[in-house]
Amino acid sequence: DTEVTQTPKHLVMGMTNKKSLKCEQHMGHRAMYWYKQKAKKPPELMFVYSYEKLSINESVPSRFSPECPNSSLLNLHLHALQPEDSALYLCASSQLPGQATEAFFGQGTRLTVV
Amino acid sequence: AQKVTQAQTEISVVEKEDVTLDCVYETRDTTYYLFWYKQPPSGELVFLIRRNSFDEQNEISGRYSWNFQKSTSSFNFTITASQVVDSAVYFCALRPTMNRDDKIIFGKGTRLHILP
């Protein structure tokens, strides 16, 4: 099983809303990631969690707030987003932090901010 | 610099033709990993292959094959007898190991259209 599950698949939110994106994996992976992907661009790294602790924040605005409640779950809390934050948000996981194994990606959440 | 270059932005071929997607990388690390991912319209990035810097053997998996040439810093991907289902964006990616920071560096991707 190499599945990373993301919910919801689509999300439309207003600029004053608060919403959360969820990601789940049951592969025992201890590194989890959030990526943002704009149309016709490669994925851009936002956050990395290693052993449930935030290890990388790529200077992401504070309106994006990640959370890793346990080794299987990763959330991304959204608040006061801007229309330019509309994008595909991808979650990924890999086996062990610091080891250069491949990452497995979810199907993503297509977010539209209106 | 750590960088992946996919010079082909978009390629169109007719079904059953062979097609090669180019990937050139730059890294200071002596140990690193290279990957190819496929992204169909549904959005998910599908892992295709991993190759480490010490293993220059070419790999074949069905209609897919990969050619890793350390001397030219290239990791090219060939689809033989292409099919419409191969239409997708393909990303080449690099994972350096020196910093142990778990970052994957993606190329800009090649959009492949297989025409029936």
PDB file of all heavy atoms in Angstrom, chain A residues 24-52:
ATOM      1  N   GLU A  24      -3.441  11.762   5.150  1.00  0.00           N
ATOM      2  CA  GLU A  24      -3.268  10.566   5.971  1.00  0.00           C
ATOM      3  C   GLU A  24      -2.460   9.525   5.205  1.00  0.00           C
ATOM      4  O   GLU A  24      -2.661   9.338   3.999  1.00  0.00           O
ATOM      5  CB  GLU A  24      -4.644  10.003   6.331  1.00  0.00           C
ATOM      6  CG  GLU A  24      -4.641   8.938   7.389  1.00  0.00           C
ATOM      7  CD  GLU A  24      -6.046   8.660   7.923  1.00  0.00           C
ATOM      8  OE1 GLU A  24      -7.018   9.292   7.450  1.00  0.00           O
ATOM      9  OE2 GLU A  24      -6.163   7.800   8.805  1.00  0.00           O
ATOM     10  N   GLN A  25      -1.552   8.871   5.901  1.00  0.00           N
ATOM     11  CA  GLN A  25      -0.807   7.743   5.308  1.00  0.00           C
ATOM     12  C   GLN A  25      -0.627   6.680   6.375  1.00  0.00           C
ATOM     13  O   GLN A  25      -0.470   7.005   7.548  1.00  0.00           O
ATOM     14  CB  GLN A  25       0.539   8.205   4.723  1.00  0.00           C
ATOM     15  CG  GLN A  25       1.476   8.899   5.684  1.00  0.00           C
ATOM     16  CD  GLN A  25       2.395   7.988   6.468  1.00  0.00           C
ATOM     17  OE1 GLN A  25       2.537   6.797   6.148  1.00  0.00           O
ATOM     18  NE2 GLN A  25       3.035   8.512   7.503  1.00  0.00           N
ATOM     19  N   HIS A  26      -0.661   5.419   5.923  1.00  0.00           N
ATOM     20  CA  HIS A  26      -0.505   4.300   6.847  1.00  0.00           C
ATOM     21  C   HIS A  26       0.631   3.404   6.405  1.00  0.00           C
ATOM     22  O   HIS A  26       0.560   2.178   6.524  1.00  0.00           O
ATOM     23  CB  HIS A  26      -1.823   3.524   6.942  1.00  0.00           C
ATOM     24  CG  HIS A  26      -2.922   4.323   7.551  1.00  0.00           C
ATOM     25  ND1 HIS A  26      -2.975   4.634   8.889  1.00  0.00           N
ATOM     26  CD2 HIS A  26      -4.014   4.916   6.993  1.00  0.00           C
ATOM     27  CE1 HIS A  26      -4.042   5.356   9.136  1.00  0.00           C
ATOM     28  NE2 HIS A  26      -4.688   5.551   8.008  1.00  0.00           N
ATOM     29  N   MET A  27       1.672   4.034   5.876  1.00  0.00           N
ATOM     30  CA  MET A  27       2.838   3.281   5.423  1.00  0.00           C
ATOM     31  C   MET A  27       3.948   3.278   6.463  1.00  0.00           C
ATOM     32  O   MET A  27       5.040   2.783   6.207  1.00  0.00           O
ATOM     33  CB  MET A  27       3.357   3.885   4.109  1.00  0.00           C
ATOM     34  CG  MET A  27       2.354   3.772   2.972  1.00  0.00           C
ATOM     35  SD  MET A  27       2.924   4.540   1.447  1.00  0.00           S
ATOM     36  CE  MET A  27       2.496   6.249   1.742  1.00  0.00           C
ATOM     37  N   GLY A  28       3.698   3.908   7.614  1.00  0.00           N
ATOM     38  CA  GLY A  28       4.731   3.997   8.640  1.00  0.00           C
ATOM     39  C   GLY A  28       5.811   5.017   8.320  1.00  0.00           C
ATOM     40  O   GLY A  28       6.892   4.997   8.910  1.00  0.00           O
ATOM     41  N   HIS A  29       5.520   5.902   7.364  1.00  0.00           N
ATOM     42  CA  HIS A  29       6.496   6.917   6.993  1.00  0.00           C
ATOM     43  C   HIS A  29       6.615   7.968   8.091  1.00  0.00           C
ATOM     44  O   HIS A  29       5.623   8.372   8.702  1.00  0.00           O
ATOM     45  CB  HIS A  29       6.086   7.583   5.671  1.00  0.00           C
ATOM     46  CG  HIS A  29       6.237   6.693   4.488  1.00  0.00           C
ATOM     47  ND1 HIS A  29       5.855   7.067   3.212  1.00  0.00           N
ATOM     48  CD2 HIS A  29       6.735   5.439   4.363  1.00  0.00           C
ATOM     49  CE1 HIS A  29       6.123   6.073   2.370  1.00  0.00           C
ATOM     50  NE2 HIS A  29       6.651   5.081   3.056  1.00  0.00           N
ATOM     51  N   ARG A  30       7.843   8.444   8.317  1.00  0.00           N
ATOM     52  CA  ARG A  30       8.056   9.404   9.396  1.00  0.00           C
ATOM     53  C   ARG A  30       8.447  10.775   8.886  1.00  0.00           C
ATOM     54  O   ARG A  30       8.789  11.670   9.675  1.00  0.00           O
ATOM     55  CB  ARG A  30       9.112   8.875  10.362  1.00  0.00           C
ATOM     56  CG  ARG A  30       8.786   7.522  10.962  1.00  0.00           C
ATOM     57  CD  ARG A  30       7.425   7.491  11.651  1.00  0.00           C
ATOM     58  NE  ARG A  30       7.370   8.362  12.796  1.00  0.00           N
ATOM     59  CZ  ARG A  30       7.806   8.010  14.009  1.00  0.00           C
ATOM     60  NH1 ARG A  30       8.340   6.834  14.215  1.00  0.00           N
ATOM     61  NH2 ARG A  30       7.707   8.872  15.015  1.00  0.00           N
ATOM     62  N   ALA A  31       8.442  10.974   7.567  1.00  0.00           N
ATOM     63  CA  ALA A  31       8.633  12.309   6.985  1.00  0.00           C
ATOM     64  C   ALA A  31       7.382  12.635   6.186  1.00  0.00           C
ATOM     65  O   ALA A  31       6.940  11.823   5.363  1.00  0.00           O
ATOM     66  CB  ALA A  31       9.862  12.351   6.091  1.00  0.00           C
ATOM     67  N   MET A  32       6.813  13.810   6.420  1.00  0.00           N
ATOM     68  CA  MET A  32       5.606  14.219   5.692  1.00  0.00           C
ATOM     69  C   MET A  32       5.772  15.650   5.227  1.00  0.00           C
ATOM     70  O   MET A  32       6.451  16.459   5.877  1.00  0.00           O
ATOM     71  CB  MET A  32       4.356  14.055   6.557  1.00  0.00           C
ATOM     72  CG  MET A  32       4.069  12.587   6.893  1.00  0.00           C
ATOM     73  SD  MET A  32       2.521  12.318   7.748  1.00  0.00           S
ATOM     74  CE  MET A  32       1.334  12.464   6.408  1.00  0.00           C
ATOM     75  N   TYR A  33       5.141  15.938   4.080  1.00  0.00           N
ATOM     76  CA  TYR A  33       5.405  17.198   3.384  1.00  0.00           C
ATOM     77  C   TYR A  33       4.109  17.843   2.916  1.00  0.00           C
ATOM     78  O   TYR A  33       3.153  17.152   2.560  1.00  0.00           O
ATOM     79  CB  TYR A  33       6.241  16.942   2.111  1.00  0.00           C
ATOM     80  CG  TYR A  33       7.429  16.045   2.280  1.00  0.00           C
ATOM     81  CD1 TYR A  33       7.291  14.664   2.335  1.00  0.00           C
ATOM     82  CD2 TYR A  33       8.714  16.575   2.343  1.00  0.00           C
ATOM     83  CE1 TYR A  33       8.381  13.832   2.479  1.00  0.00           C
ATOM     84  CE2 TYR A  33       9.819  15.757   2.482  1.00  0.00           C
ATOM     85  CZ  TYR A  33       9.643  14.387   2.551  1.00  0.00           C
ATOM     86  OH  TYR A  33      10.738  13.573   2.688  1.00  0.00           O
ATOM     87  N   TRP A  34       4.140  19.163   2.842  1.00  0.00           N
ATOM     88  CA  TRP A  34       3.132  19.916   2.100  1.00  0.00           C
ATOM     89  C   TRP A  34       3.827  20.641   0.952  1.00  0.00           C
ATOM     90  O   TRP A  34       4.847  21.304   1.160  1.00  0.00           O
ATOM     91  CB  TRP A  34       2.418  20.939   2.964  1.00  0.00           C
ATOM     92  CG  TRP A  34       1.341  20.393   3.838  1.00  0.00           C
ATOM     93  CD1 TRP A  34       1.330  20.346   5.202  1.00  0.00           C
ATOM     94  CD2 TRP A  34       0.098  19.825   3.420  1.00  0.00           C
ATOM     95  NE1 TRP A  34       0.176  19.773   5.654  1.00  0.00           N
ATOM     96  CE2 TRP A  34      -0.611  19.440   4.582  1.00  0.00           C
ATOM     97  CE3 TRP A  34      -0.502  19.592   2.172  1.00  0.00           C
ATOM     98  CZ2 TRP A  34      -1.875  18.842   4.540  1.00  0.00           C
ATOM     99  CZ3 TRP A  34      -1.758  18.999   2.136  1.00  0.00           C
ATOM    100  CH2 TRP A  34      -2.426  18.631   3.310  1.00  0.00           C
ATOM    101  N   TYR A  35       3.231  20.475  -0.242  1.00  0.00           N
ATOM    102  CA  TYR A  35       3.685  21.192  -1.423  1.00  0.00           C
ATOM    103  C   TYR A  35       2.523  22.006  -1.971  1.00  0.00           C
ATOM    104  O   TYR A  35       1.360  21.614  -1.885  1.00  0.00           O
ATOM    105  CB  TYR A  35       4.122  20.227  -2.529  1.00  0.00           C
ATOM    106  CG  TYR A  35       5.470  19.592  -2.338  1.00  0.00           C
ATOM    107  CD1 TYR A  35       5.622  18.459  -1.549  1.00  0.00           C
ATOM    108  CD2 TYR A  35       6.593  20.104  -2.980  1.00  0.00           C
ATOM    109  CE1 TYR A  35       6.866  17.867  -1.393  1.00  0.00           C
ATOM    110  CE2 TYR A  35       7.837  19.509  -2.833  1.00  0.00           C
ATOM    111  CZ  TYR A  35       7.962  18.396  -2.035  1.00  0.00           C
ATOM    112  OH  TYR A  35       9.194  17.810  -1.889  1.00  0.00           O
ATOM    113  N   LYS A  36       2.875  23.108  -2.619  1.00  0.00           N
ATOM    114  CA  LYS A  36       1.890  23.927  -3.335  1.00  0.00           C
ATOM    115  C   LYS A  36       2.256  23.890  -4.815  1.00  0.00           C
ATOM    116  O   LYS A  36       3.440  24.020  -5.173  1.00  0.00           O
ATOM    117  CB  LYS A  36       1.971  25.369  -2.830  1.00  0.00           C
ATOM    118  CG  LYS A  36       1.119  26.370  -3.591  1.00  0.00           C
ATOM    119  CD  LYS A  36       1.322  27.768  -3.032  1.00  0.00           C
ATOM    120  CE  LYS A  36       0.555  28.808  -3.816  1.00  0.00           C
ATOM    121  NZ  LYS A  36       0.739  30.164  -3.245  1.00  0.00           N
ATOM    122  N   GLN A  37       1.259  23.707  -5.685  1.00  0.00           N
ATOM    123  CA  GLN A  37       1.538  23.657  -7.112  1.00  0.00           C
ATOM    124  C   GLN A  37       0.566  24.554  -7.867  1.00  0.00           C
ATOM    125  O   GLN A  37      -0.647  24.329  -7.863  1.00  0.00           O
ATOM    126  CB  GLN A  37       1.452  22.217  -7.638  1.00  0.00           C
ATOM    127  CG  GLN A  37       1.909  22.085  -9.080  1.00  0.00           C
ATOM    128  CD  GLN A  37       1.854  20.664  -9.596  1.00  0.00           C
ATOM    129  OE1 GLN A  37       1.112  19.823  -9.078  1.00  0.00           O
ATOM    130  NE2 GLN A  37       2.640  20.372 -10.617  1.00  0.00           N
ATOM    131  N   LYS A  38       1.112  25.547  -8.524  1.00  0.00           N
ATOM    132  CA  LYS A  38       0.318  26.396  -9.397  1.00  0.00           C
ATOM    133  C   LYS A  38       0.286  25.750 -10.788  1.00  0.00           C
ATOM    134  O   LYS A  38       1.134  24.921 -11.129  1.00  0.00           O
ATOM    135  CB  LYS A  38       0.934  27.800  -9.487  1.00  0.00           C
ATOM    136  CG  LYS A  38       1.044  28.525  -8.151  1.00  0.00           C
ATOM    137  CD  LYS A  38      -0.278  29.058  -7.670  1.00  0.00           C
ATOM    138  CE  LYS A  38      -0.528  30.456  -8.173  1.00  0.00           C
ATOM    139  NZ  LYS A  38      -1.787  31.017  -7.595  1.00  0.00           N
ATOM    140  N   ALA A  39      -0.695  26.187 -11.573  1.00  0.00           N
ATOM    141  CA  ALA A  39      -0.888  25.594 -12.903  1.00  0.00           C
ATOM    142  C   ALA A  39       0.376  25.717 -13.754  1.00  0.00           C
ATOM    143  O   ALA A  39       1.000  26.776 -13.805  1.00  0.00           O
ATOM    144  CB  ALA A  39      -2.060  26.266 -13.606  1.00  0.00           C
ATOM    145  N   LYS A  40       0.741  24.621 -14.375  1.00  0.00           N
ATOM    146  CA  LYS A  40       1.870  24.543 -15.299  1.00  0.00           C
ATOM    147  C   LYS A  40       3.212  24.844 -14.626  1.00  0.00           C
ATOM    148  O   LYS A  40       4.151  25.304 -15.286  1.00  0.00           O
ATOM    149  CB  LYS A  40       1.656  25.458 -16.506  1.00  0.00           C
ATOM    150  CG  LYS A  40       0.403  25.115 -17.295  1.00  0.00           C
ATOM    151  CD  LYS A  40       0.392  25.720 -18.671  1.00  0.00           C
ATOM    152  CE  LYS A  40      -0.822  25.222 -19.445  1.00  0.00           C
ATOM    153  NZ  LYS A  40      -0.852  25.664 -20.835  1.00  0.00           N
ATOM    154  N   LYS A  41       3.274  24.614 -13.335  1.00  0.00           N
ATOM    155  CA  LYS A  41       4.521  24.811 -12.591  1.00  0.00           C
ATOM    156  C   LYS A  41       4.845  23.526 -11.819  1.00  0.00           C
ATOM    157  O   LYS A  41       3.949  22.712 -11.573  1.00  0.00           O
ATOM    158  CB  LYS A  41       4.366  25.958 -11.580  1.00  0.00           C
ATOM    159  CG  LYS A  41       4.079  27.304 -12.207  1.00  0.00           C
ATOM    160  CD  LYS A  41       5.300  27.869 -12.846  1.00  0.00           C
ATOM    161  CE  LYS A  41       5.043  29.291 -13.326  1.00  0.00           C
ATOM    162  NZ  LYS A  41       6.201  29.813 -14.083  1.00  0.00           N
ATOM    163  N   PRO A  42       6.093  23.362 -11.415  1.00  0.00           N
ATOM    164  CA  PRO A  42       6.405  22.201 -10.572  1.00  0.00           C
ATOM    165  C   PRO A  42       5.921  22.431  -9.142  1.00  0.00           C
ATOM    166  O   PRO A  42       5.645  23.576  -8.757  1.00  0.00           O
ATOM    167  CB  PRO A  42       7.939  22.151 -10.617  1.00  0.00           C
ATOM    168  CG  PRO A  42       8.357  23.552 -10.896  1.00  0.00           C
ATOM    169  CD  PRO A  42       7.287  24.155 -11.745  1.00  0.00           C
ATOM    170  N   PRO A  43       5.849  21.375  -8.355  1.00  0.00           N
ATOM    171  CA  PRO A  43       5.477  21.541  -6.948  1.00  0.00           C
ATOM    172  C   PRO A  43       6.537  22.361  -6.205  1.00  0.00           C
ATOM    173  O   PRO A  43       7.733  22.212  -6.455  1.00  0.00           O
ATOM    174  CB  PRO A  43       5.439  20.112  -6.407  1.00  0.00           C
ATOM    175  CG  PRO A  43       5.340  19.245  -7.609  1.00  0.00           C
ATOM    176  CD  PRO A  43       6.028  19.961  -8.713  1.00  0.00           C
ATOM    177  N   GLU A  44       6.062  23.209  -5.290  1.00  0.00           N
ATOM    178  CA  GLU A  44       6.966  24.007  -4.453  1.00  0.00           C
ATOM    179  C   GLU A  44       6.815  23.544  -3.009  1.00  0.00           C
ATOM    180  O   GLU A  44       5.703  23.507  -2.483  1.00  0.00           O
ATOM    181  CB  GLU A  44       6.581  25.485  -4.487  1.00  0.00           C
ATOM    182  CG  GLU A  44       6.774  26.195  -5.792  1.00  0.00           C
ATOM    183  CD  GLU A  44       6.239  27.619  -5.702  1.00  0.00           C
ATOM    184  OE1 GLU A  44       6.216  28.181  -4.579  1.00  0.00           O
ATOM    185  OE2 GLU A  44       5.836  28.153  -6.748  1.00  0.00           O
ATOM    186  N   LEU A  45       7.933  23.240  -2.389  1.00  0.00           N
ATOM    187  CA  LEU A  45       7.888  22.775  -1.009  1.00  0.00           C
ATOM    188  C   LEU A  45       7.431  23.900  -0.079  1.00  0.00           C
ATOM    189  O   LEU A  45       7.888  25.042  -0.193  1.00  0.00           O
ATOM    190  CB  LEU A  45       9.277  22.287  -0.590  1.00  0.00           C
ATOM    191  CG  LEU A  45       9.399  21.715   0.805  1.00  0.00           C
ATOM    192  CD1 LEU A  45       8.570  20.441   0.942  1.00  0.00           C
ATOM    193  CD2 LEU A  45      10.868  21.445   1.148  1.00  0.00           C
ATOM    194  N   MET A  46       6.516  23.530   0.854  1.00  0.00           N
ATOM    195  CA  MET A  46       6.073  24.493   1.878  1.00  0.00           C
ATOM    196  C   MET A  46       6.646  24.092   3.243  1.00  0.00           C
ATOM    197  O   MET A  46       7.299  24.878   3.907  1.00  0.00           O
ATOM    198  CB  MET A  46       4.556  24.507   1.954  1.00  0.00           C
ATOM    199  CG  MET A  46       3.863  24.928   0.674  1.00  0.00           C
ATOM    200  SD  MET A  46       2.074  24.765   0.810  1.00  0.00           S
ATOM    201  CE  MET A  46       1.654  26.135   1.886  1.00  0.00           C
ATOM    202  N   PHE A  47       6.333  22.864   3.664  1.00  0.00           N
ATOM    203  CA  PHE A  47       6.719  22.401   5.003  1.00  0.00           C
ATOM    204  C   PHE A  47       7.170  20.953   4.941  1.00  0.00           C
ATOM    205  O   PHE A  47       6.706  20.185   4.117  1.00  0.00           O
ATOM    206  CB  PHE A  47       5.517  22.456   5.967  1.00  0.00           C
ATOM    207  CG  PHE A  47       4.876  23.798   6.118  1.00  0.00           C
ATOM    208  CD1 PHE A  47       3.668  24.075   5.495  1.00  0.00           C
ATOM    209  CD2 PHE A  47       5.454  24.776   6.909  1.00  0.00           C
ATOM    210  CE1 PHE A  47       3.053  25.308   5.640  1.00  0.00           C
ATOM    211  CE2 PHE A  47       4.857  26.025   7.063  1.00  0.00           C
ATOM    212  CZ  PHE A  47       3.645  26.281   6.421  1.00  0.00           C
ATOM    213  N   VAL A  48       8.090  20.623   5.879  1.00  0.00           N
ATOM    214  CA  VAL A  48       8.483  19.240   6.094  1.00  0.00           C
ATOM    215  C   VAL A  48       8.353  18.925   7.572  1.00  0.00           C
ATOM    216  O   VAL A  48       8.806  19.711   8.422  1.00  0.00           O
ATOM    217  CB  VAL A  48       9.937  18.955   5.655  1.00  0.00           C
ATOM    218  CG1 VAL A  48      10.286  17.484   5.902  1.00  0.00           C
ATOM    219  CG2 VAL A  48      10.153  19.303   4.189  1.00  0.00           C
ATOM    220  N   TYR A  49       7.740  17.777   7.878  1.00  0.00           N
ATOM    221  CA  TYR A  49       7.698  17.263   9.234  1.00  0.00           C
ATOM    222  C   TYR A  49       8.549  16.008   9.299  1.00  0.00           C
ATOM    223  O   TYR A  49       8.411  15.105   8.479  1.00  0.00           O
ATOM    224  CB  TYR A  49       6.265  16.924   9.656  1.00  0.00           C
ATOM    225  CG  TYR A  49       5.535  18.090  10.263  1.00  0.00           C
ATOM    226  CD1 TYR A  49       4.941  19.057   9.457  1.00  0.00           C
ATOM    227  CD2 TYR A  49       5.463  18.242  11.640  1.00  0.00           C
ATOM    228  CE1 TYR A  49       4.286  20.132  10.016  1.00  0.00           C
ATOM    229  CE2 TYR A  49       4.800  19.330  12.206  1.00  0.00           C
ATOM    230  CZ  TYR A  49       4.220  20.267  11.381  1.00  0.00           C
ATOM    231  OH  TYR A  49       3.572  21.346  11.941  1.00  0.00           O
ATOM    232  N   SER A  50       9.449  15.985  10.294  1.00  0.00           N
ATOM    233  CA  SER A  50      10.293  14.814  10.526  1.00  0.00           C
ATOM    234  C   SER A  50       9.997  14.297  11.920  1.00  0.00           C
ATOM    235  O   SER A  50      10.169  15.036  12.888  1.00  0.00           O
ATOM    236  CB  SER A  50      11.777  15.171  10.419  1.00  0.00           C
ATOM    237  OG  SER A  50      12.059  15.709   9.147  1.00  0.00           O
ATOM    238  N   TYR A  51       9.578  13.044  11.996  1.00  0.00           N
ATOM    239  CA  TYR A  51       9.190  12.461  13.291  1.00  0.00           C
ATOM    240  C   TYR A  51       8.218  13.388  14.028  1.00  0.00           C
ATOM    241  O   TYR A  51       8.398  13.694  15.210  1.00  0.00           O
ATOM    242  CB  TYR A  51      10.422  12.179  14.155  1.00  0.00           C
ATOM    243  CG  TYR A  51      11.364  11.162  13.556  1.00  0.00           C
ATOM    244  CD1 TYR A  51      12.588  11.546  13.021  1.00  0.00           C
ATOM    245  CD2 TYR A  51      11.025   9.806  13.511  1.00  0.00           C
ATOM    246  CE1 TYR A  51      13.453  10.622  12.465  1.00  0.00           C
ATOM    247  CE2 TYR A  51      11.873   8.868  12.951  1.00  0.00           C
ATOM    248  CZ  TYR A  51      13.088   9.292  12.429  1.00  0.00           C
ATOM    249  OH  TYR A  51      13.932   8.357  11.870  1.00  0.00           O
ATOM    250  N   GLU A  52       7.226  13.847  13.306  1.00  0.00           N
ATOM    251  CA  GLU A  52       6.134  14.664  13.830  1.00  0.00           C
ATOM    252  C   GLU A  52       6.554  16.053  14.296  1.00  0.00           C
ATOM    253  O   GLU A  52       5.767  16.770  14.933  1.00  0.00           O
ATOM    254  CB  GLU A  52       5.397  13.952  14.987  1.00  0.00           C
ATOM    255  CG  GLU A  52       4.700  12.649  14.586  1.00  0.00           C
ATOM    256  CD  GLU A  52       5.630  11.461  14.601  1.00  0.00           C
ATOM    257  OE1 GLU A  52       6.089  11.060  15.691  1.00  0.00           O
ATOM    258  OE2 GLU A  52       5.912  10.912  13.522  1.00  0.00           O
TER     259      GLU A  52
END
